[in-house]
């Protein structure tokens, strides 16, 4: 009844588009959070076949799970605490992100040979070796015979606004960190700063590798731009009932919406337990038979109400209801309605949602 459909051809198309756009930089495909809700088991092999040079995830447990799907390609993980057992990740050959001097020492203390990226603070102030510890961290890693530092990595805070001056500041800081690392004796052959928006709009920030996530799933990372991406996911449910409501009557919890005239309502099987934000009340438009109808009243745990007006197109129980995707709003439009970003929306479908895959052609 409630399902997401993932178009694998769209995934392959997006990888090819991005890879061509960023060449000759290497392409790291980010598949954290179960490939942004698209499913690593099916999506990651498609990305590899389409040209991925490496993969990235957040946590080391994600990296270990991904290794079962991607046996040989490089996989990096960067979210871990210094007291974490690194054995599973090291056994799987995961490249480790090092976000602090403490983390560097913890990795060295394992005595295991591993490849690593040093995460440097450049202005996002989330994670990364702070500037005053760059030299000491680089020296400690240089002198550790078990650690091969592949390069540096950092993350833009404002790349989705290509004109934001902080982008220049962060790129400058990254270049300074890279010069420092090389002065300290680290070769750093593979360095990556650019996320999806920076990879597509800021050639100077591509360095040796780009680290791309949301664009691979067909979501435009810069509002108002068009990079030829094909949205890969749609989210659909079913109409479970159509019933009349009289003028002056209200619907759903709190009776927050009242019918202005006699009309019909459709009940659709999806709610906040399935990941639909309650904040979409009154802003979501559901696709039914190629027409868009407003959702009204409060979003419930398991269902929503849709205003059909006089129901001129004869919507009935069993019809497909598109929450986002072809025939409905886009994920970006739903994100705007919910006051969030499209990254979050494609990670939302949970609960009773079943994921299915198609091998059709992309809709780019």
């Amino acid at each position: 009844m409630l399902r997401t459909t993932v178009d694998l051809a769209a995934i392959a198309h997006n990888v090819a588009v991005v890879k061509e756009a960023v060449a000759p930089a290497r392409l790291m495909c980010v598949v954290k959070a179960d490939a942004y809700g698209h499913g690593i088991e099916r999506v990651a092999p498609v990305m590899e076949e389409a040209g991925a040079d490496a993969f990235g995830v957040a946590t080391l447990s994600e990296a270990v799970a991904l290794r079962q799907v991607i046996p040989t390609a490089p996989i990096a993980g960067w979210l871990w605490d210094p007291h974490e057992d690194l054995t599973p990740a090291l056994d799987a050959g995961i490249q480790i992100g090092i976000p602090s001097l403490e983390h560097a020492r913890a990795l060295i203390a394992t005595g295991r040979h591993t490849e690593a990226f040093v995460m440097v603070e450049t202005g996002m102030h989330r994670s990364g070796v702070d500037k005053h510890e760059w030299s000491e961290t680089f020296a400690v890693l240089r002198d550790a015979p078990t650690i091969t530092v592949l390069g540096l990595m950092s993350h833009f805070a404002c790349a989705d606004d290509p004109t934001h001056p902080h982008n220049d500041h962060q790129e400058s800081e990254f270049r300074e960190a890279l010069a420092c690392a090389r002065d300290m004796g680290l070769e750093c052959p593979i360095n990556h700063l650019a996320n999806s928006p920076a990879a597509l709009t800021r050639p100077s920030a591509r360095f040796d590798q780009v680290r791309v996530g949301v664009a691979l799933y067909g979501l435009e990372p810069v509002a108002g731009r068009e990079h030829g991406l094909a949205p890969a996911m749609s989210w659909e449910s079913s109409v479970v009932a159509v019933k009349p409501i009289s003028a002056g009557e209200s619907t759903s919890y709190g009776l927050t919406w009242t019918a202005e005239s006699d009309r019909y309502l459709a009940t659709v099987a999806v709610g906040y337990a399935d990941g639909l934000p309650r904040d979409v009340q009154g802003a979501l438009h559901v696709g039914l038979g190629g027409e868009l109808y407003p959702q009204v009243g409060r979003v419930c745990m398991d269902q929503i109400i849709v205003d059909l007006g006089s129901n001129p197109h004869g919507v009935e129980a069993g019809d497909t209801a598109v929450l986002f995707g072809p025939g409905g709003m886009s994920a970006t439009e739903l994100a705007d309605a919910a006051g969030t970003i499209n990254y979050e929306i494609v990670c939302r479908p949970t609960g009773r949602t079943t994921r299915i895959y198609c091998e059709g052609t992309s809709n780019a």
Side-chain angles (χ1 to χ4, degrees):
M1 181 180 294
L2 188 57
R3 59 200 170 274
T4 56
T5 301
V6 177
D7 183 349
L8 296 176
I11 296 288
H13 165 84
N14 297 329
V15 172
V17 166
V18 174
K19 189 173 177 68
E20 181 179 4
V22 304
R26 291 162 48 91
L27 173 61
M28 174 183 280
C29 293
V30 179
V31 292
K32 62 183 180 177
D34 199 21
Y36 288 48
H38 292 67
I40 61 167
E41 294 86 355
R42 297 292 300 275
V43 166
V46 170
M47 290 179 172
E48 185 176 33
E49 184 176 353
D53 297 296
F55 290 88
V57 293
T59 69
L60 299 188
S61 60
E62 287 179 312
V64 172
L66 180 59
R67 179 57 79 204
Q68 303 304 308
V69 181
I70 302 295
T72 59
I75 298 172
W78 47 78
L79 193 60
W80 55 287
D81 75 72
H83 307 290
E84 187 171 335
D85 180 9
L86 300 181
T87 302
L90 297 176
D91 287 347
I94 304 305
Q95 298 168 345
I96 309 295
I98 300 174
S100 74
L101 178 58
E102 183 182 7
H103 284 79
R105 288 174 171 151
L107 183 58
I108 293 168
T110 67
R112 298 284 300 275
H113 288 269
T114 188
E115 296 177 328
F117 291 101
V118 184
M119 305 166 68
V120 291
E121 175 59 61
T122 59
M124 190 169 182
H125 301 289
R126 185 174 66 175
S127 62
V129 178
D130 289 323
K131 192 171 187 176
H132 70 275
E133 290 188 326
W134 285 353
S135 294
E136 183 177 2
T137 303
F138 298 152
V140 165
L141 291 167
R142 177 200 62 203
D143 296 337
T146 57
I147 308 299
T148 299
V149 176
L150 296 175
L152 307 186
M153 60 183 289
S154 191
H155 196 63
F156 279 114
C158 304
D160 56 340
D161 178 1
T163 65
H164 200 292
H166 198 60
N167 298 327
D168 292 336
H169 169 74
Q170 287 198 260
E171 185 177 334
S172 176
E173 289 289 288
F174 190 76
R175 292 183 184 279
E176 184 177 344
L178 183 55
C180 178
R182 287 173 170 162
D183 286 345
M184 297 296 295
L186 297 176
E187 293 185 11
C188 297
I190 304 174
N191 304 281
H192 43 108
L193 170 64
N195 53 3
S196 287
L200 292 173
T201 66
R202 194 176 180 90
S204 63
R206 290 173 185 156
F207 291 90
D208 313 284
Q209 180 168 273
V210 296
R211 199 176 56 250
V212 175
V214 74
L216 303 178
Y217 307 99
L219 301 180
E220 175 56 53
V222 181
R225 300 288 183 93
E226 174 54 57
H227 290 98
L229 305 172
M233 181 188 289
S234 60
W235 193 18
E236 299 174 339
S237 188
S238 298
V239 175
V240 296
V242 173
K243 59 187 297 179
I245 187 171
S246 299
E249 293 183 328
S250 303
T251 187
S252 199
Y253 290 114
L255 303 178
T256 58
W257 179 86
T258 300
E260 296 181 352
S261 61
D262 295 349
R263 54 212 308 111
Y264 290 88
L265 302 179
T267 302
V268 175
V270 63
Y272 59 78
D274 305 299
L276 185 68
R278 291 184 82 240
D279 290 346
V280 301
Q281 176 179 341
L284 168 65
H285 285 74
V286 176
L288 295 164
E291 303 291 332
L292 292 178
Y293 298 87
Q295 176 271 331
V296 296
R298 289 192 178 152
V299 174
C300 307
M301 181 180 289
D302 318 296
Q303 51 200 305
I304 57 173
I305 306 300
V306 177
D307 177 17
L308 301 177
S310 63
N311 197 16
H313 301 289
V315 174
E316 59 185 21
D319 286 354
T320 296
V322 181
L323 304 168
F324 66 76
M329 301 176 77
S330 69
T332 299
E333 289 169 335
L334 179 54
D336 291 343
T340 185
I341 56 175
N342 51 21
Y343 296 65
E344 179 184 351
I345 290 300
V346 293
C347 292
R348 277 278 187 170
T350 52
R352 290 148 289 202
T353 302
T354 299
R355 185 189 297 142
I356 59 176
Y357 294 89
C358 69
E359 304 279 355
T361 58
S362 75
N363 57 358

